[in-house]
Amino acid sequence: MHGLYSGGVSKSMTPKIIAEQAPLKGLHLVGTADILNEKWIRLIKEQLVEIDDGLLQYKNGTRFILQTEVEDNRRVHHILLIPSFSKVYELRERFKNKSSDLDKDGRPKLRLSAEEIAEISTEAECLIGPSHAFTPWTAIFKEYDSISDCYGDYSDKVYFLELGLSADTNMADKISELHRLTFLSNSDGHSPWPNKLGREFNTFMVKEINFEEIKRAIKREGGRKCMLNVGFNPLEGKYHKTRCIGCLTFFEPNDAKRLNWRCPICGKPIKKGVDFRINELADLPEGKHPEHRPPYVHIIPLSEIIALATKKANAWSISVQEKWKTFVSAFGSEINVLLNAKIDELEKIDAEIARYIQYFRDDKIKYIPGGAGVYGKLVPPNKELPKLKRFDSIQKKLGDY
Ligand code: ZN
């Protein structure tokens, strides 16, 4: 996620509020985000207690490991997981002459290649991997065709890849090069409210909750591993389908190619969808997974299900938030409400919402797919999908959704 000093992030994104919200979602561990930024380091240290070297805890038990995202000289984003504050200061020292916004933004831009960043962070005993790997603006696969093209001699030091909201395991495993990597489904939250914080998460098998154990889980050592990825149906992600960023018309990728990625309707760029980008790189059919790959469960934030059931336009509305609180306080966490609680128990609070939670569990909720930076939209099972604005040079159906 990102803290309040990063661009486009809610001012409520403070360590304290994140820590307070985390258990309501069912999260035990979060990343600090933005830990190379001086002001953010200060706030983290003010609001959390360092219970071990590089391991922070809030008074309700929510833990944080040191983590940031950086942008390289080709506008590719990388996640760093950092073992200790001394390594945070070491990275700051090595990056400070290579960045003009280290203390201005939470996600610094570095005048370094991905390979150089991987070299520096490996020397500092960090883990590095690509963020939201398939998105069309600032991700590895908008720039490169493989992990090794990007990280060069340090490719074998990359142990994880973040899938991003518009992709899941089934899609990413179509690329055989990625099979050795552990996939992370992280939320990249820019606000701490329950439809954003932990909207994607991972379950790890570890002995304790700390950096070393998470590192071993990512590297799949000593029985530690990622047990489960939980995230959006990729159709709900902002970059899933190929779409014009101006008029939001959907395009068949081959039409977009032929049009040189320029929209003939409004003249703005057409952004390549994650589904198409993955298919360009794919060398395996869907369904071929490495032995170690855990299941991937599609989830919809509870507040979005409530908004859909109560016909509210957005998940932030007060009435939706009130209902959310009622459910979460009755069942302990959002994860319990979504996945574990019995439907007849949920019905006692609100029968209509319980019915929609059942729809969600039965995978009956439909999606208008996302694309060009706009999230996908949920559609109730009993409603027809609306007609989508699509470029129709060839009269084909929009796809398999
Ligand atoms: Zn357009």
Side-chain angles (χ1 to χ4, degrees):
M1 63 187 121
H2 289 287
L4 78 166
Y5 301 121
S6 284
V9 172
S10 156
K11 291 296 163 224
S12 301
M13 212 52 173
T14 64
K16 175 177 180 290
I17 296 179
I18 293 165
E20 286 169 351
Q21 293 296 312
L24 303 178
K25 190 80 190 197
L27 305 173
H28 304 111
L29 176 71
V30 290
T32 54
D34 301 355
I35 201 61
L36 296 178
N37 177 291
E38 197 176 21
K39 282 184 288 182
W40 185 248
I41 293 176
R42 216 175 302 137
L43 202 59
I44 287 272
K45 288 192 163 180
E46 257 170 50
Q47 299 187 352
L48 306 173
V49 178
E50 196 176 0
I51 55 168
D52 201 352
D53 193 15
L55 182 66
L56 298 133
Q57 187 167 297
Y58 188 65
K59 55 192 172 194
N60 66 358
T62 304
R63 289 190 176 181
F64 291 69
I65 53 172
L66 303 170
Q67 166 264 323
T68 193
E69 183 179 45
V70 297
E71 181 172 307
D72 71 22
N73 61 1
R74 289 175 70 168
R75 292 205 69 205
V76 173
H77 289 180
H78 311 273
I79 294 171
L80 306 182
L81 303 174
I82 309 167
S84 64
F85 272 110
S86 63
K87 298 298 181 188
V88 168
Y89 299 125
E90 186 179 320
L91 291 179
R92 277 179 56 82
E93 213 36 51
R94 298 199 63 177
F95 290 156
K96 75 177 182 202
N97 296 325
K98 302 289 180 187
S99 174
S100 51
D101 62 358
L102 193 58
D103 287 321
K104 292 193 193 104
D105 203 298
R107 184 208 302 109
K109 294 187 179 67
L110 305 177
R111 292 186 299 274
L112 291 165
S113 69
E115 188 173 6
E116 289 167 326
I117 295 170
E119 180 182 357
I120 291 169
S121 51
T122 302
E123 283 171 12
E125 294 159 37
C126 301
L127 289 186
I128 183 170
S131 309
H132 44 74
F134 310 101
T135 55
W137 293 101
T138 52
I140 178 169
F141 292 118
K142 64 98 191 172
E143 197 67 20
Y144 302 96
D145 288 337
S146 75
I147 296 283
S148 51
D149 285 353
C150 175
Y151 293 105
D153 288 349
Y154 284 83
S155 301
D156 63 348
K157 302 295 180 206
V158 174
Y159 296 99
F160 71 84
L161 167 146
E162 190 189 69
L163 292 167
L165 271 52
S166 301
D168 64 9
T169 294
N170 271 335
M171 295 169 67
D173 268 338
K174 290 198 279 185
I175 304 168
S176 61
E177 189 202 17
L178 308 183
H179 279 206
R180 69 171 184 85
L181 301 176
T182 293
F183 290 161
L184 297 183
S185 40
N186 296 328
S187 66
D188 201 1
H190 287 41
S191 85
W193 312 125
N195 59 330
K196 301 293 182 197
L197 185 71
R199 57 188 171 176
E200 301 210 332
F201 63 89
N202 313 278
T203 304
F204 290 109
M205 166 90 85
V206 286
K207 275 208 162 149
E208 283 172 68
I209 300 179
N210 60 30
F211 172 85
E212 268 315 308
E213 286 283 315
I214 296 296
K215 180 177 176 177
R216 294 185 76 185
I218 287 172
K219 294 171 83 170
R220 304 190 298 278
E221 291 174 351
R224 280 79 165 169
K225 58 186 174 178
C226 180
M227 304 269 298
L228 181 69
N229 294 111
V230 180
F232 277 18
N233 183 318
L235 290 168
E236 199 180 351
K238 281 204 256 191
Y239 297 106
H240 186 69
K241 285 285 168 195
T242 297
R243 199 173 188 186
C244 167
I245 65 165
C247 63
L248 297 178
T249 301
F250 289 95
F251 287 79
E252 287 297 329
N254 286 330
D255 286 338
K257 246 178 166 170
R258 195 166 41 75
L259 295 161
N260 213 12
W261 303 94
R262 192 54 70 176
C263 176
I265 303 161
C266 77
K268 291 268 168 56
I270 302 167
K271 275 291 158 193
K272 190 183 283 186
V274 164
D275 69 335
F276 181 59
R277 182 59 184 137
I278 287 177
N279 282 332
E280 283 183 320
L281 300 169
D283 57 352
L284 291 174
E286 190 168 311
K288 293 238 180 284
H289 302 288
E291 197 59 40
H292 67 83
R293 185 75 66 219
Y296 191 107
V297 171
H298 290 152
I299 208 157
I300 300 173
L302 176 59
S303 54
E304 290 184 12
I305 295 177
I306 296 172
L308 192 69
T310 57
K311 302 186 171 52
K312 294 284 183 264
N314 72 61
W316 292 274
S317 77
I318 304 277
S319 67
V320 171
Q321 294 297 327
E322 288 303 318
K323 279 283 182 206
W324 184 87
K325 279 183 206 152
T326 312
F327 274 102
V328 169
S329 52
F331 296 94
S333 75
E334 170 163 338
I335 301 305
N336 278 340
V337 176
L338 286 174
L339 301 179
N340 305 326
K342 291 210 172 90
I343 290 295
D344 52 357
E345 293 295 317
L346 296 168
E347 276 171 351
K348 289 177 190 160
I349 295 178
D350 188 306
E352 187 65 0
I353 293 169
R355 193 153 69 94
Y356 274 74
I357 293 171
Q358 185 69 60
Y359 287 152
F360 153 70
R361 290 182 186 178
D362 296 343
D363 202 18
K364 284 188 176 153
I365 293 177
K366 297 186 254 189
Y367 294 86
I368 299 170
V374 178
Y375 287 111
K377 266 207 177 101
L378 307 179
V379 177
N382 50 358
K383 258 182 103 173
E384 284 287 302
L385 279 175
K387 242 179 119 53
L388 303 175
K389 199 160 121 184
R390 61 180 294 274
F391 183 73
D392 62 353
S393 73
I394 38 171
Q395 290 295 328
K396 273 207 305 188
K397 287 222 313 255
L398 190 51
D400 49 1
Y401 42 81

